[in-house]
Amino acid sequence: MPLDAEALARALGLAEPLRIHDRLCRAELDRLEAAAAAGEPLLVACEQEAALFAERAGEAAGSLRTVDIRARAGWSAEARAATPKIAALLAEAGLEPPPVPVLTLRSEGRCLVYGSGETALAAAERIADRLTPTLLLAAAGELLPPARVRFPILEGRIVRLAGHLGAFRATVEDAAIAVPSSRDRLRFGQATARSELEADLVLDLSGGPPLVTAPGKRDGYRRVDPRDPLAIERALFDLVDLVGELEKPRWVELDPGLCAHARSRRVGCTRCLDHCPTGAITPAGDHVAIDPYVCAGCGACAGLCPTGAVSYAAPPAAFLLERLRRLLGTYHGAGGTDAVLLVHEARHGGPLLDATARLGRGLPARVLPFAVDELAGLGLEALAAPFALGAARLVVLEPPSRAGELAALAANLAYLEALLDGLGFGRERLVRLALDDPEPLEEALWSLSPLASAGRGDFVPLGGKRALLRLVVDALHARAPAPVPVVPLPEGAPFGRVLVEVEGCTLCHACVGACPTGALEAHPDRPMLRFVEDACVQCGLCRSTCPEKVIRLEPRLGFGPAFREPVVLKEEEPARCVRCGKPFGTKSSIERIVQRLAGVHSMFRDPEAIERLRMCDDCRVLSQLERTDHPMALGTPRRPRTTEDYLREREAEEAARLKGREGAGGGSGKA
């Protein structure tokens, strides 16, 4: 394949031209070893011989990364125009991925083999030397007892299987153990109505429905068609390796404080619960709980979580956006135009791209492949970022066999389509391909008509999921052909506003207490309900909590500072006490209480009782105490006598005496 060392060096910002090696895995291995001995990170543009390179790199193998520029770029009918793409692939591969947290699982090799007849018995005997099997026969039939029993044999029916690799628990109905004296066929003792069996591994040869949800994603569980001997052998081969201490990535991280699932037993957001294929996510009060041992890492929960409470850890969203930024930035910097980003799962799209490169025209020079582990884990921020960074098209290659597992991806693509259409980019910039054949894939990619980019953009991906999403959509809006202030979005989108029927709202602020993101807020000094649209994730908790049922949601995306500032949804004057005039509530709430209780409740049938509802709490007490017909009324309280009272009485008596004396003396003078 043609390589331009000088152009690649310029595109990668190197001071000197790159030295091209075409026999690095053979005659030039000493150069690899010398580079490894220097102690610097190594990037080799060849994945085919990665095992050999790692072996020769020795202790430096941990810093060795490989990238395929041959099948992805050099083996193409447009190879001579692929220099910008090769530079972009090299730049992206130079990023060091962050470490992935891991879990430790322990398996002692206890394997539960569940099936019927000779097939299940033979499978258990095949692994008896490597594992510790227990055979559970759903139907023993006329099975001849083995001459040498090497493991427990039971009959029964599994009604529930829970747990994970190293900790499975099977609930069995009518379990009975084989009788040792069985002669011409296996016989079983007294059955137990219900019992529990524990196992590290499970081989399901029953041929019935799977015992767990998403059976292909549950580690340690193998479900095989009992009529397929080759599939049984493959399953046995896989199971015998699952012994000892095993490491599993902790695919997702959960921050319960950000979860918008529920408040006060009112359910709001259920996006992750609705789309988890393995059942690893369950409600846990106000938030959800994720069993990391059951989680298969599909990423649907992280892709749809509106608050960032669930985040993908392998790799994080910020690293994914940095890959896109490095890939597209280098491509454009090297002179590439009309970039088409091809997003695919490595295990599905990788072999298809290899096949079209070896046997067909390869990829067009403007098609940049971008491999991810799980398509379902791509959130709206990752899907919109290519357009914000200057890509002309986004092509998503989906495996047809997993169409039922990609509902989360379909939802995010629907939001992106509405966003592109609303901002004037056009829906044709987003292409979905569900193919598993290289020939139609090649035809679809080469038949894409060129589309000019709306302009190059750039941003530094910092912050959590919500911050990244806002960063991306703002960058997209900045280079939109039609930058309208508001774009309508489909139902379930993570952006939108709350609409309140003002006439029915009593400003009880139940919605404020339920809002998990602070989008709804009260004023500290006035009866007021305010709303910050940028903080709303459309979880619906306000709607389900509102006692008056006057709240509805409108999914949409707004741009500009106005959507980050609080707006007043309803405001009114405070209700004032009819007795003392003190403000103590809102008029609408007080009048709503009066309306519902007046003449209906037995305690509020007279006007005085209704009037007390319009009083503050202090005046209500005073009003009750002033009543004379109330059993607890005090009447007019007797004024206590004080020293002043006694002194005043004494003065009055003294004055009366003096006056009497004066009257007596005046009478004798006249005589």
Side-chain angles (χ1 to χ4, degrees):
M1 60 180 177
L3 291 173
D4 188 338
E6 294 184 0
L8 287 174
R10 287 194 302 271
L12 295 172
L14 303 179
E16 299 178 358
L18 289 169
R19 182 176 181 181
I20 306 299
H21 302 83
D22 55 8
R23 290 179 294 276
L24 192 63
C25 58
R26 297 295 183 266
E28 298 171 334
L29 263 174
D30 58 326
R31 298 180 184 176
L32 173 77
E33 294 170 349
E40 295 185 1
L42 294 176
L43 175 62
V44 180
C46 174
E47 287 187 343
Q48 177 179 296
E49 303 294 333
L52 175 63
F53 296 143
E55 177 187 346
R56 291 304 184 95
E59 294 182 358
S63 64
L64 172 67
R65 290 190 295 279
T66 60
V67 57
D68 179 12
I69 62 171
R70 188 171 61 179
R72 276 36 174 188
W75 283 351
S76 168
E78 294 182 346
R80 296 196 176 278
T83 297
K85 178 162 73 168
I86 294 174
L89 294 174
L90 291 172
E92 179 204 356
L95 287 172
E96 183 177 358
V100 178
V102 296
L103 301 165
T104 300
L105 300 93
R106 289 178 173 82
S107 170
E108 298 177 0
R110 301 172 301 165
C111 182
L112 176 61
V113 180
Y114 180 52
S116 299
E118 187 65 36
T119 301
L121 177 61
E125 289 178 337
R126 292 272 286 123
I127 59 175
D129 292 332
R130 302 284 299 276
L131 302 175
T132 307
T134 296
L135 177 60
L136 178 62
L137 296 169
E142 300 297 323
L143 184 61
L144 188 67
R148 181 185 175 192
V149 179
R150 305 168 63 190
F151 42 80
I153 302 177
L154 301 91
E155 187 178 45
R157 182 171 59 90
I158 296 179
V159 294
R160 182 175 181 270
L161 180 66
H164 52 82
L165 172 62
F168 283 106
R169 298 178 305 280
T171 303
V172 184
E173 281 188 351
D174 301 326
I177 194 166
V179 177
S181 60
S182 299
R183 180 183 177 185
D184 57 335
R185 63 183 179 86
L186 274 175
R187 289 179 169 81
F188 297 88
Q190 183 68 33
T192 304
R194 178 161 293 203
S195 57
E196 299 281 337
L197 291 179
E198 295 183 353
D200 300 311
L201 310 165
V202 176
L203 175 61
D204 184 2
L205 299 174
S206 64
L211 301 175
V212 296
T213 55
K217 296 180 177 294
R218 186 68 63 95
D219 294 328
Y221 174 79
R222 295 291 186 274
R223 176 173 173 264
V224 183
D225 186 347
R227 299 167 298 180
D228 189 344
L230 181 58
I232 294 175
E233 289 299 317
R234 288 174 178 168
L236 296 176
F237 183 82
D238 292 340
L239 288 173
V240 295
D241 285 337
L242 299 178
V243 180
E245 285 195 358
L246 308 168
E247 288 188 346
K248 173 184 178 178
R250 183 185 285 271
W251 301 107
V252 296
E253 298 286 350
L254 172 67
D255 185 349
L258 296 177
C259 184
H261 170 59
R263 292 293 185 276
S264 303
R265 299 184 181 180
R266 298 284 185 175
V267 177
C269 178
T270 60
R271 292 173 174 93
C272 59
L273 291 165
D274 295 339
H275 290 87
C276 179
T278 63
I281 306 178
T282 54
D286 285 352
H287 55 84
V288 298
I290 300 179
D291 187 341
Y293 296 96
V294 176
C295 173
C298 73
C301 52
L304 285 173
C305 182
T307 64
V310 183
S311 58
Y312 207 60
F319 178 74
L320 200 66
L321 294 187
E322 183 59 32
R323 282 181 57 198
L324 287 170
R325 178 173 178 259
R326 183 75 65 90
L327 181 72
L328 289 167
T330 306
Y331 176 79
H332 291 132
T337 58
D338 306 333
V340 176
L341 189 74
L342 173 61
V343 180
H344 64 91
E345 289 183 350
R347 62 181 179 274
H348 170 250
L352 298 183
L353 300 187
D354 286 339
T356 187
R358 292 179 180 276
L359 306 174
R361 290 179 288 175
L363 292 178
R366 60 193 176 95
V367 175
L368 307 178
F370 188 77
V372 296
D373 292 330
E374 295 286 347
L375 285 175
L378 296 176
L380 181 56
E381 72 285 350
L383 295 170
F387 298 104
L389 294 168
R393 282 187 194 270
L394 173 64
V395 179
V396 182
L397 177 59
E398 307 171 23
S401 60
R402 296 181 52 227
E405 302 175 15
L406 297 177
L409 174 68
N412 279 323
L413 288 175
Y415 307 151
L416 176 61
E417 194 174 56
L419 187 59
L420 294 175
D421 193 37
L423 293 177
F425 288 95
R427 294 172 180 256
E428 67 276 5
R429 292 184 181 271
L430 176 60
V431 180
R432 297 178 64 182
L433 299 176
L435 301 170
D436 52 13
D437 190 326
E439 290 187 5
L441 173 62
E442 177 185 313
E443 180 63 29
L445 294 176
W446 283 90
S447 63
L448 290 174
S449 58
L451 277 177
S453 169
R456 289 177 55 187
D458 194 15
F459 55 84
V460 179
L462 297 174
K465 177 184 174 68
R466 187 72 178 183
L468 289 174
L469 182 53
R470 174 49 75 177
L471 187 68
V472 168
V473 296
D474 283 347
L476 187 64
H477 182 263
R479 52 195 42 83
V484 295
V486 179
V487 174
L489 294 177
E491 190 72 24
F495 289 100
R497 65 172 173 171
V498 169
L499 300 175
V500 177
E501 297 176 16
V502 177
E503 296 78 8
C505 175
T506 61
L507 289 177
C508 68
H509 290 160
C511 55
V512 175
C515 182
T517 63
L520 289 164
E521 57 184 34
H523 192 280
D525 301 319
R526 296 183 59 81
M528 182 186 298
L529 177 63
R530 300 187 295 187
F531 175 64
V532 182
E533 184 165 336
D534 188 59
C536 181
V537 296
Q538 299 283 284
C539 65
L541 276 170
C542 56
R543 179 176 56 191
S544 61
T545 304
C546 177
E548 311 300 340
K549 305 304 177 186
V550 294
I551 293 179
R552 61 187 180 90
L553 307 179
E554 180 186 350
R556 67 177 196 172
L557 180 57
F559 302 93
F563 294 91
R564 298 180 176 89
E565 299 295 329
V567 296
V568 177
L569 298 182
K570 180 173 182 179
E571 179 183 11
E572 63 181 42
E573 291 296 321
R576 295 187 177 275
C577 176
V578 295
R579 176 170 173 150
C580 70
K582 181 177 73 174
F584 71 100
T586 61
K587 287 184 177 180
S588 56
S589 60
I590 299 301
E591 292 305 319
R592 180 62 59 88
I593 294 173
V594 170
Q595 179 184 356
R596 292 189 175 182
L597 295 179
V600 177
H601 196 279
S602 59
M603 294 177 62
F604 298 95
R605 288 181 177 169
D606 64 274
E608 292 184 5
I610 298 300
E611 195 68 4
R612 277 192 291 272
L613 292 174
R614 297 187 174 96
M615 297 179 186
C616 66
D617 49 357
D618 293 333
C619 291
R620 286 181 198 145
V621 175
L622 293 175
S623 175
Q624 289 281 14
L625 294 177
E626 290 172 354
R627 293 176 55 188
T628 58
D629 59 339
H630 194 277
M632 298 190 66
L634 297 178
T636 302
R638 182 177 180 183
R639 195 171 77 79
R641 293 177 62 82
T642 65
T643 302
E644 292 182 358
D645 294 324
Y646 288 108
L647 293 175
R648 190 180 302 109
E649 290 179 358
R650 184 181 299 173
E651 290 175 358
E653 291 175 358
E654 186 67 24
R657 253 194 317 271
L658 291 174
K659 186 176 181 180
R661 252 184 231 159
E662 290 175 359
S668 60
K670 289 177 183 179

